[in-house]
Amino acid sequence: MKKMICALLSLLILSACAQAPAGNAPASDAPASTIASAASEAAAPETVEAPYQMTFYMPLLGSNVIASHAEVKAANIIAEMTNVAIEWIHPPIGQEKETFNIMVASGDFPDAIYYRWTDYPGGATKAIADGFLIPLDPYIDQLANLTALFAEIPEIEKQTKLDDGRIPFMPAAANDLRRRAFDGYLIRQDWLDKLGLQMPETITELHDVLAAFKDQDPNGNGEADEIPLIVDKTANYIRSLASAWGVRDSFQLDPSTKKVAYGPIMPSFKEFLAEMSKWYAEGLIDREFASIDSKMADSKIAGDIGGTIRGNTATFERYMNLMTDSVPGVMWRGIPFPTNGGSPAYAYDENRVRLVWGQGVGVTTGSDNPEAVLRFLDYGYSKEGYDYYGWGVEGESYTKENGEYKLTDIITNDPDKLPTTSAILRYAFGNNGFAKVHNFDFWSATELNNEPSKSANELWFTADNSLLLPLLSLTEEESIEYANIMNEVTTLFDEILFKIVMGVDSVDSYDNFVSIAKQMGIDRAIELQQAAYDRYLAR
């Protein structure tokens, strides 16, 4: 079966299947970590005579650093300790979705798959019902480290399990919500300083700052070329500003009732669209946003014409590296989530309330030895597993003294000038998704390694999360009904959003959108989400 998998995927994948060499480095000393004392020792598996030949499908992390996860030293060490030999299967970059769909349609599955299971039609519940994934709760007695993590942080267990108590996959999980406050707005602090402006805290102040960026030549080149608000074709920056009106562009909690609502049909969403249309007409929003991708947006930033953009904590280092040589004195800072008329500073991104966000490693029905696969995967939730998958190999990628961890010079001063988050990939998965604990300590050492990103994380963490829903689980029947409704509603919403913001349609056309959305069944979709939320609260 495994040969059939590689033969099938080789139609799309070059050098897809790379045999992981066995490592022989010893396990590191138990680190200082926030995992419970119950998990202070990794479960030491009893090995069998011959390693289990395991196939593992996972998109390649850091193609500019490694050619295969067979080069990740930590994974090789843990594979040897848990007595498996891994054949990594990587889809071609840019063809991940197509490759995954071909694999699913083939009926021949690898042992394990790392995936965002919320993207599977019907979610992980449907993947089990389809005979694709096996539920993992029957193996719970073999998952000592995951069980210890559940005991230490019950919210991780609550967010991992389905409503019926089944465990669908081995989750990527954070042990601290500060780790999830990574997304927000960035602004040119040096432009604010040059124009004598304060950091905007309200939506009105943000408008006025953007207008000043447009009219007062903050880049000093004597040309009116500044683009106050850089937005790409996803319109994510525009969408996320909706939180200032207490709404989102998807399902949310209504702050007044604490019930599930669909943000785009709430009355204040029309007010938000009217304001964004005004900003676009005034030239505050990039006129080309509907046709540019993220690379083009970065090019505008590097060209010293962008004033503010939505980004994350890693964006600060990346933009500083892009601009420091060409733009002396450049400085990016995080912006508070804007308030509006005395409203709270509502956060927008649901990630910040999710210790588990729907990604993880599923064990498929194609596995001949789920016990061996889980033996390997469970190690990632131990303290030693966290060290390996986060920090890498002690003495090579990091050192430890008196409980303090420090990345070595080969990571912090990579000869190819890679950022630390990329250089670590030769040794570990770092901040990237896997079946492991995403610990705040390592993340802060690599992504909050400069003052602007550290301050932004602290600022964004204080935002109000009242609008945000946890990751919900629909039943198989609900998933089908929900998808049929939302496929139509979402398409219609995206169309009306762009047309109103760009002035193609008037703001009054929004009322027609609400009427059509109701005809499509949006109220029923809200009922399904509310039922799922009620079940979540009852877990």
Side-chain angles (χ1 to χ4, degrees), residues 253-508:
L253 289 173
D254 185 325
S256 62
T257 66
K258 307 302 180 186
K259 296 291 185 180
V260 175
Y262 183 62
I265 66 169
M266 297 175 71
S268 52
F269 204 91
K270 183 177 182 180
E271 299 173 18
F272 154 70
L273 287 176
E275 186 68 14
M276 293 301 101
S277 180
K278 172 188 170 185
W279 287 18
Y280 184 84
E282 293 176 355
L284 306 186
I285 296 173
D286 191 348
R287 296 280 188 177
E288 301 175 332
F289 84 87
S291 61
I292 69 172
D293 59 20
S294 59
K295 290 184 178 180
M296 295 170 68
D298 282 354
S299 177
K300 294 186 179 191
I301 292 294
D304 194 26
I305 59 175
T308 184
I309 193 169
R310 180 180 172 181
N312 56 54
T313 46
T315 308
F316 292 95
E317 181 180 17
R318 183 161 60 87
Y319 281 175
M320 293 300 289
N321 288 342
L322 276 175
M323 302 179 69
T324 297
D325 292 341
S326 59
V327 186
V330 62
M331 177 58 66
W332 288 91
R333 289 284 182 177
I335 307 176
F337 287 90
T339 61
N340 187 14
S343 70
Y346 288 121
Y348 180 83
D349 194 336
E350 290 172 332
N351 280 319
R352 65 185 57 247
V353 297
R354 296 178 176 180
L355 292 172
V356 176
W357 49 97
Q359 295 183 29
V361 180
V363 181
T364 79
T365 54
S367 177
D368 297 325
N369 193 342
E371 293 84 357
V373 176
L374 291 170
R375 185 172 65 230
F376 168 75
L377 295 174
D378 185 59
Y379 197 93
Y381 303 103
S382 68
K383 284 189 173 183
E384 291 85 351
Y386 155 67
D387 263 11
Y388 277 123
Y389 284 140
W391 295 91
V393 181
E394 186 174 3
E396 296 185 41
S397 56
Y398 79 98
T399 59
K400 182 174 61 175
E401 185 175 350
N402 298 323
E404 295 292 327
Y405 288 67
K406 183 178 180 180
L407 292 167
T408 59
D409 191 64
I410 198 171
I411 302 299
T412 57
N413 293 291
D414 180 79
D416 297 324
K417 298 188 183 301
L418 292 171
T420 55
T421 50
S422 296
I424 195 67
L425 292 176
R426 299 185 183 100
Y427 297 88
F429 292 123
N431 291 324
N432 297 284
F434 197 67
K436 68 184 181 77
V437 176
H438 290 248
N439 195 288
F440 179 78
D441 295 337
F442 175 77
W443 180 73
S444 63
T446 53
E447 214 160 283
L448 307 185
N449 56 358
N450 57 80
E451 200 280 328
S453 63
K454 184 175 184 296
S455 296
N457 173 249
E458 294 171 352
L459 177 68
W460 296 339
F461 182 67
T462 63
D464 188 305
N465 295 331
S466 301
L467 307 181
L468 309 179
L469 285 165
L471 187 63
L472 304 180
S473 176
L474 299 174
T475 68
E476 182 178 353
E477 294 77 14
E478 288 174 339
S479 295
I480 295 171
E481 183 180 7
Y482 176 81
N484 288 337
I485 296 170
M486 293 311 300
N487 286 342
E488 291 186 334
V489 172
T490 301
T491 299
L492 178 66
F493 167 68
D494 287 343
E495 180 181 343
I496 198 69
L497 172 72
F498 277 74
K499 285 185 174 180
I500 291 179
V501 170
M502 299 177 73
V504 176
D505 285 354
S506 72
V507 176
D508 290 336

Side-chain angles (χ1 to χ4, degrees), residues 82-358:
T82 56
N83 209 41
V84 299
I86 303 176
E87 190 175 4
W88 293 99
I89 304 170
H90 303 304
I93 295 172
Q95 299 181 46
E96 292 86 355
K97 183 176 181 179
E98 294 86 346
T99 307
F100 180 84
N101 290 340
I102 289 174
M103 176 181 61
V104 173
S106 75
D108 291 304
F109 311 138
D111 289 283
I113 298 173
Y114 183 85
Y115 193 63
R116 183 189 296 273
W117 296 103
T118 50
D119 290 345
Y120 188 90
T125 300
K126 188 65 163 57
I128 294 173
D130 287 346
F132 183 32
L133 296 185
I134 62 171
L136 304 182
D137 42 290
Y139 302 91
I140 192 66
D141 291 342
Q142 302 173 40
L143 305 177
N145 296 306
L146 181 62
T147 300
L149 178 63
F150 284 173
E152 169 64 13
I153 311 177
E155 192 65 21
I156 290 180
E157 179 178 16
K158 183 177 181 179
Q159 294 185 20
T160 297
K161 289 184 174 181
L162 301 175
D163 294 328
D164 60 10
R166 291 181 297 173
I167 301 173
F169 51 80
M170 301 291 275
N175 65 348
D176 190 326
L177 282 175
R178 290 179 298 168
R179 168 68 177 82
R180 307 297 290 152
F182 56 77
D183 187 271
Y185 315 124
L186 285 67
I187 196 167
R188 286 284 298 271
Q189 179 66 53
D190 54 313
W191 284 12
L192 290 175
D193 294 341
K194 181 175 181 179
L195 301 181
L197 301 173
Q198 298 297 312
M199 178 68 71
E201 296 183 355
T202 70
I203 203 72
T204 299
E205 290 172 355
L206 180 57
H207 168 274
D208 293 346
V209 163
L210 297 179
F213 284 176
K214 176 180 178 292
D215 297 333
Q216 299 182 31
D217 191 29
N219 66 11
N221 66 357
E223 300 179 17
D225 58 353
E226 288 84 357
I227 303 173
L229 178 56
I230 297 288
V231 181
D232 66 21
K233 60 187 176 183
T234 67
N236 280 338
Y237 198 127
I238 296 173
R239 296 169 190 263
S240 56
L241 285 173
S243 65
W245 282 263
V247 290
R248 300 182 68 250
D249 72 337
S250 186
F251 291 91
Q252 64 173 83
L253 289 173
D254 185 325
S256 62
T257 66
K258 307 302 180 186
K259 296 291 185 180
V260 175
Y262 183 62
I265 66 169
M266 297 175 71
S268 52
F269 204 91
K270 183 177 182 180
E271 299 173 18
F272 154 70
L273 287 176
E275 186 68 14
M276 293 301 101
S277 180
K278 172 188 170 185
W279 287 18
Y280 184 84
E282 293 176 355
L284 306 186
I285 296 173
D286 191 348
R287 296 280 188 177
E288 301 175 332
F289 84 87
S291 61
I292 69 172
D293 59 20
S294 59
K295 290 184 178 180
M296 295 170 68
D298 282 354
S299 177
K300 294 186 179 191
I301 292 294
D304 194 26
I305 59 175
T308 184
I309 193 169
R310 180 180 172 181
N312 56 54
T313 46
T315 308
F316 292 95
E317 181 180 17
R318 183 161 60 87
Y319 281 175
M320 293 300 289
N321 288 342
L322 276 175
M323 302 179 69
T324 297
D325 292 341
S326 59
V327 186
V330 62
M331 177 58 66
W332 288 91
R333 289 284 182 177
I335 307 176
F337 287 90
T339 61
N340 187 14
S343 70
Y346 288 121
Y348 180 83
D349 194 336
E350 290 172 332
N351 280 319
R352 65 185 57 247
V353 297
R354 296 178 176 180
L355 292 172
V356 176
W357 49 97

